[in-house]
Amino acid sequence: MEVIYQYAWIIPVLPLLGAMLVGLGLISLNQTTNRLRQLNAVLIVSLMGIAMGLSMALLWSQYQGHAPYTITLEWASAGNFHLSMGYTIDHLTAMMLVVVTTVAFLVMIYTDGYMCHDPGYVRFYAYLSLFGSSMLGLVLSPNLVQVYIFWELVGMCSYLLVGFWYDRKPAAEACQKAFVTNRVGDFGLLLGILGLFWATGSFDFTIMGDRLGELVESGTISNALAILFAILVFLGPVAKSAQFPLHVWLPDAMEGPTPISALIHAATMVAAGVFLIARMYPVFEHVPAAMNVIAFTGAFTAFLGATIAITQNDIKKGLAYSTISQLGYMVMAMGVGAYSAGLFHLMTHAYFKAMLFLGSGSVIHGMEGVVGHDPVLAQDMRLMGGLRKYMPATGITFLIGCLAIAGIPPFAGFWSKDEILGAAFAANPLLWLIGWVTAGITAFYMFRMYFSTFEGQFRGNDQTIKTMLKQATAKLGGELQPNFGPGAMKKGELESHGHGHSPHESPWTMTLPLLVLAIPSILIGLVGTPYANYFEQFIFSPTETLTEVMEKASKFDPHEFYLMAGSSVAISVVGITLAILMYWSKKIDPSAIAAKFRSLYELSLNKWYFDDIYYRVFVLGLRRVARQVMEVDFRVVDGAVNLTGFFTLVSGEGLKYLENGRAQFYALIVFGAVLGLVIVFGVT
């Protein structure tokens, strides 16, 4: 078993090797590599499968009690400064490795069916493999500097994947928005890293936490400075995990192909933020004010994402705001000290959210035969309905995902979300209230999505609705561009596939990952039940011991659990009931409610106007600043340079008449100068 630990570095190297081989093939032998597209896909999927097997072996070894394992090598040194690189295997790393590799492996299988007609099929696989490698490297990192290196690689890969269809303007703009927004958070993270190193002299997570606590306690550094460092570090997860106010990039990232949407939202980029909070927990725990900031940021983000999701008609945008909301739960859990609960929800959410996103991609794939190549129409739930009878596998797995995220027992989301709500109530009842209300909203919008998509009558052939949606898009200045991306069939292939007027189930490469992901979406929550919380016994705060965890578990109060769980299930049932009455039985008219509460409806539909505010303040504002800077550059900087040149020119032109080579003229100048001096000194 020790051999696995010695060669654990192979886990991120395998997908990196796949990306490198395929990438070199695309650069040097492009046509041949693209012709052997499925061979390249098999190579990349196989390498990720091997990484998944090694990750599972490490998880089993850690669960059996193997001690944490760390190998580091000195990478750079200068005087007293020493920087090490390497890898570490502990309980948190082992769990994250399995989550990342399993989701990435299933997404890669799904990609074969979804992207089968895309000309960038091979390039997409190379990007996916590089993305998975970057996240695995981040998870294995033993110190903050190495985390930051892979953190930026993850950001670069997301830029490539979100903008995969770069010839489409929305995709090009979305990847730029994601990149710039994340740079804001990453700049704060970099400042925080430098500040903590200045204060503690270390990049090691535990050493930083211990020394920072000692320095604050002794008064060597002020509490305000410690709070500043902690919040600067937290800005990194705020951007990566799409927390308020840097959440605006994540919904726009839906412009990328659906497989990458699933991978970003489930196990890689957004999970990186929560993972970093967990790694930095020894630092945050010594700064209570920072913990409060983290908790309330998460709570507000959870509520914000949920309230926006209830009016979204784009199936992927709805799921995107759902992710923002669920990430808010995880961050809130970390802020209230529920370390294990936050990571438990990260794990359960990874599986059911991956399934939901892949399910949405299956729906889009099935719908494109009806709506053609209009990407906006293929994702609009107003043109769906009744898809369950056409796409039974997709429908049942999507329903399982909705039940899991809504927190209905015994599905996975119930156990993890309930644990977070219980911890929030113990820490601050206001946080619990926000989370509790958000749980009800979550159940409502998820079943609104399910009923609008899979139940009722199919609306995809309704030309009136299509025309209305096209006109509405045109009024907003949108474009219904040809999209050869979402599993896209080429022009002329729609009819040949026989799907001209009704949706169709996706191929087995797409439905198999859905069925596999349905298993952990149902069962994986059982490892964290309050009666026997195996997850918390395995994943617990680095500042706690197993004895303390077991002692806390022995104080479990079933009556308190039934009360808290009952209240969370009750609010979820209320949300589901409202969705049934509005979108299935049609007993309540949603448009009438929207008209009655027009301002609230507009607030949600326009995403709380954050995009508009940011556009006016930052985009237009920075353009004005740029113009002013350009004016200063033109008038002051260029003016000074031009004035210098003009003065040199004029002086040169003047002096050339004085330098004529005649001795009499020079004598006259000397006589004039002497006469002038005599007059000046004579007068004084």
Side-chain angles (χ1 to χ4, degrees), residues 214-522:
E214 293 170 2
L215 292 169
V216 172
E217 188 176 348
S218 64
T220 306
I221 67 169
S222 67
N223 190 50
L225 200 57
I227 294 170
L228 176 63
F229 292 156
I231 292 177
L232 284 172
V233 169
F234 177 56
L235 279 177
V238 165
K240 273 288 190 291
S241 291
Q243 298 296 288
F244 168 82
L246 300 178
H247 64 283
V248 292
W249 68 270
L250 192 58
D252 288 30
M254 297 304 95
E255 293 295 337
T258 300
I260 193 53
S261 300
L263 198 55
I264 285 177
H265 286 251
T268 52
M269 188 160 175
V270 297
V274 179
F275 174 79
L276 181 59
I277 296 175
R279 277 291 188 223
M280 293 296 293
Y281 197 77
V283 172
F284 292 132
E285 195 175 42
H286 289 292
V287 190
M291 293 287 279
N292 287 330
V293 170
I294 293 170
F296 279 96
T297 299
F300 180 74
T301 304
F303 181 74
L304 172 69
T307 54
I308 296 175
I310 60 177
T311 58
Q312 298 301 307
N313 294 308
D314 184 311
I315 189 170
K316 286 179 68 178
K317 288 282 182 73
L319 289 173
Y321 282 106
S322 168
T323 299
I324 291 173
S325 183
Q326 296 304 305
L327 288 166
Y329 273 109
M330 300 174 208
V331 172
M332 179 178 71
M334 291 295 180
V336 299
Y339 179 93
S340 177
L343 291 170
F344 186 32
H345 196 55
L346 184 152
M347 180 182 72
T348 60
H349 175 266
Y351 291 111
F352 61 68
K353 184 51 66 69
M355 182 175 64
L356 287 167
F357 261 108
L358 296 182
S360 73
S362 181
V363 168
I364 295 166
H365 184 272
M367 283 290 295
E368 72 183 356
V370 180
V371 300
H373 292 291
D374 288 344
V376 177
L377 298 184
Q379 296 177 195
D380 199 305
M381 292 184 289
R382 289 170 290 186
L383 277 175
M384 298 176 188
L387 294 185
R388 181 168 53 85
K389 65 180 180 181
Y390 300 104
M391 310 174 69
T394 303
I396 189 65
T397 52
F398 203 92
L399 176 61
I400 290 170
C402 290
L403 290 167
I405 197 172
I408 302 300
F411 296 90
F414 164 74
W415 304 103
S416 55
K417 189 184 291 185
D418 184 74
E419 191 174 349
I420 292 173
L421 291 176
F425 185 81
N428 188 325
L430 176 60
L431 292 173
W432 169 84
L433 180 62
I434 297 171
W436 181 74
V437 171
T438 301
I441 300 172
T442 301
F444 171 76
Y445 69 68
M446 287 307 303
F447 276 87
R448 168 185 178 266
M449 193 177 297
Y450 174 77
F451 292 132
S452 298
T453 304
F454 293 99
E455 302 295 341
Q457 296 297 315
F458 181 62
R459 302 178 293 276
N461 295 315
D462 192 326
Q463 293 300 322
T464 304
I465 298 178
K466 286 184 180 180
T467 303
M468 180 268 292
L469 293 178
K470 288 182 178 181
Q471 290 173 348
T473 305
K475 286 181 181 178
L476 293 172
E479 300 178 16
L480 292 177
Q481 301 178 354
N483 183 356
F484 303 111
M489 301 175 184
K490 299 174 184 176
K491 286 184 177 179
E493 288 187 329
L494 293 172
E495 293 77 13
S496 65
H497 280 69
H499 303 310
H501 298 286
S502 62
H504 59 94
E505 184 61 277
S506 301
W508 72 268
T509 51
M510 295 173 68
T511 54
L512 178 62
L514 292 174
L515 296 171
V516 172
L517 285 166
I519 297 171
S521 297
I522 298 170

Side-chain angles (χ1 to χ4, degrees), residues 545-585:
T545 63
L546 181 59
T547 304
E548 292 172 342
V549 171
M550 297 298 291
E551 184 180 347
K552 185 169 63 175
S554 66
K555 297 178 182 177
F556 167 68
D557 183 356
H559 300 291
E560 182 181 343
F561 166 70
Y562 293 140
L563 181 63
M564 297 299 300
S567 64
S568 64
V569 171
I571 193 68
S572 296
V573 170
V574 169
I576 295 171
T577 304
L578 282 174
I580 291 172
L581 294 174
M582 288 186 186
Y583 298 99
W584 193 16
S585 65

Side-chain angles (χ1 to χ4, degrees), residues 135-208:
M135 185 62 192
L136 292 169
L138 189 153
V139 167
L140 284 164
S141 298
N143 59 59
L144 197 49
V145 170
Q146 193 170 326
V147 164
Y148 189 76
I149 293 170
F150 284 104
W151 184 272
E152 294 302 325
L153 282 173
V154 167
M156 181 202 72
C157 293
S158 71
Y159 174 82
L160 295 173
L161 285 160
V162 171
F164 181 76
W165 294 316
Y166 54 83
D167 52 342
R168 294 181 57 229
K169 186 180 178 182
E173 291 177 344
C175 69
Q176 291 177 46
K177 185 176 182 179
F179 189 80
V180 171
T181 305
N182 274 276
R183 297 291 68 71
V184 174
D186 293 355
F187 181 64
L189 173 60
L190 180 59
L191 292 178
I193 292 171
L194 295 175
L196 286 171
F197 180 74
W198 168 80
T200 64
S202 175
F203 293 114
D204 183 89
F205 307 107
T206 305
I207 295 174
M208 279 192 297

